[in-house]
Amino acid sequence: MLRAVLPTLLILAILMAGLWWGWLRPRLPDSAVVDAAYARPLPPPVGAMTVFHLGHSLVGQDMPAMLQQLSPIGHDYASQLGWGTTLKAHWEPDEGINGFEQMNDHPRYRAADSALRSGDYDAVILTEMVELTDAIKYFESDRYFSKWAELAREARPDTRVFLYETWHWLDDPDGWLNRLDRDLVALWENEILLRDMARNPDNPAHVIPVGQVLSRFVRAVEARGGVPGIEGPEALFHTDDQGRLDPIHMGDLGNYLIALTHYAVLYQASPVGLPHQLNRADGSPALAPSPEAARLMQEIVWQTVTSYPKTGVPQ
């Protein structure tokens, strides 16, 4: 008898869990409320910022180091990273963080929990793992984004919380550019950013729209038939010593473009004219974009962040 009813009980348990999770997740705010909230830009920062990066290898070590070189003197940062790590894994001590020792074996590591509780940071930048749809479906992305955001806000109410929009695999079967076009609103905004806004309507998080910058830059390059040193998106990604392309991790040129985007959002300043010959985190010279490519990158970044109110940058 018990064996006969077990499948039914299991189905009911799954349905109840789904209903419970649906009730737990806040409803999306009304679009008019969202528009009004993001119509008010963040006040410009005063001087150099202290920033904490929480995420995975699409943050990496080189990009924050490049950001520091672009920023005003005094810019400082720390991070906690992993390999493909979810926000949930960073939060839950029993989850385990793949690649923890390798990704955090550098002087900029600081344990995320104590770092955010310290109130030391002007800005906290959070990102979620790729594949994003899986992170949302299985790892409660919006809930854990809000947990980290609230930890930062409670320690220091004026801390700026940002959601770092990344990208998917260059060989994604749905098309890399298609995913960048589609995922911003459907996933990054509706499933993470605005769920947090529903929980914290008076202090919304903002977006560092790297995916949108990548999309605009690649399309601009293609429209020009290439620029010196860059013919297509592959030039932005890492290539190993045997010339094999890594279809998810950025190389020096991609990291430079990402660092420019972070700079423009954090400092609300145009990156046009910033240096383009920078060093990696280990102090070695990074591959520099050509002057023409660097200028196009800088212009695209500024056009993007000043046409997307959720950056917090005056439009």
Side-chain angles (χ1 to χ4, degrees), residues 123-136:
V124 171
I125 303 172
L126 311 171
T127 196
E128 185 53 284
M129 80 162 198
V130 176
E131 167 66 49
L132 185 57
T133 53
D134 290 343
I136 291 166

Side-chain angles (χ1 to χ4, degrees), residues 11-28:
I11 292 171
L12 287 172
I14 293 171
L15 289 173
M16 290 301 295
L19 288 172
W20 179 82
W21 176 235
W23 290 328
L24 182 66
R25 297 186 78 206
R27 297 181 62 180
L28 291 175

Side-chain angles (χ1 to χ4, degrees), residues 162-306:
F162 292 95
L163 175 61
Y164 165 23
E165 178 216 5
T166 61
W167 56 93
H168 290 276
W169 295 80
L170 189 57
D171 54 1
D172 190 289
D174 287 343
W176 188 67
L177 288 173
N178 289 338
R179 290 297 303 271
L180 294 177
D181 293 343
R182 185 180 70 199
D183 289 358
L184 175 65
V185 173
L187 301 181
W188 294 103
E189 289 188 10
N190 289 350
E191 297 299 337
I192 303 177
L193 182 79
L194 298 184
R195 305 284 180 182
D196 178 67
M197 183 184 173
R199 296 181 177 103
N200 303 277
D202 298 326
N203 192 6
H206 291 77
V207 181
I208 299 178
V210 166
Q212 303 313 296
V213 166
L214 289 169
S215 172
R216 289 192 183 198
F217 177 73
V218 167
R219 286 184 163 112
V221 167
E222 291 175 345
R224 288 164 171 75
V227 295
I230 301 178
E231 299 297 323
E234 294 81 5
L236 301 174
F237 287 77
H238 177 71
T239 302
D240 68 15
D241 295 337
Q242 284 73 49
R244 292 172 297 196
L245 180 70
D246 181 338
I248 187 64
H249 296 104
M250 290 291 167
D252 291 341
L253 298 184
N255 280 325
Y256 176 72
L257 182 56
I258 296 167
L260 287 174
T261 309
H262 279 68
Y263 167 87
V265 173
L266 290 172
Y267 288 101
Q268 301 188 6
S270 171
V272 175
L274 287 177
H276 62 280
Q277 296 177 318
L278 304 178
N279 294 328
R280 304 184 186 99
D282 64 4
S284 62
L287 174 66
S290 65
E292 296 88 345
R295 177 78 182 195
L296 181 61
M297 287 179 173
Q298 294 164 0
E299 291 173 347
I300 291 292
V301 164
W302 193 234
Q303 291 166 9
T304 303
V305 304
T306 57

Side-chain angles (χ1 to χ4, degrees), residues 51-60 63-64 77-92 97 100 103-104 108-116 121 123-129 141 144-152 161-166 188 208 262:
V51 178
F52 192 83
H53 303 266
L54 181 64
H56 43 69
S57 58
L58 300 192
V59 179
M63 186 281 289
Y77 69 95
S79 66
Q80 178 176 300
L81 308 174
W83 289 339
T85 308
T86 63
L87 291 170
K88 180 178 182 179
H90 280 297
W91 183 272
E92 299 290 353
I97 297 174
F100 184 89
M103 291 300 295
N104 297 299
R108 297 289 180 171
Y109 165 71
R110 187 176 181 186
D113 183 79
S114 60
L116 269 60
Y121 296 95
V124 171
I125 303 172
L126 311 171
T127 196
E128 185 53 284
M129 80 162 198
S141 297
Y144 283 93
F145 179 87
S146 289
K147 282 179 174 289
W148 284 113
E150 276 305 290
L151 192 65
V161 177
F162 292 95
L163 175 61
Y164 165 23
E165 178 216 5
T166 61
W188 294 103
I208 299 178
H262 279 68

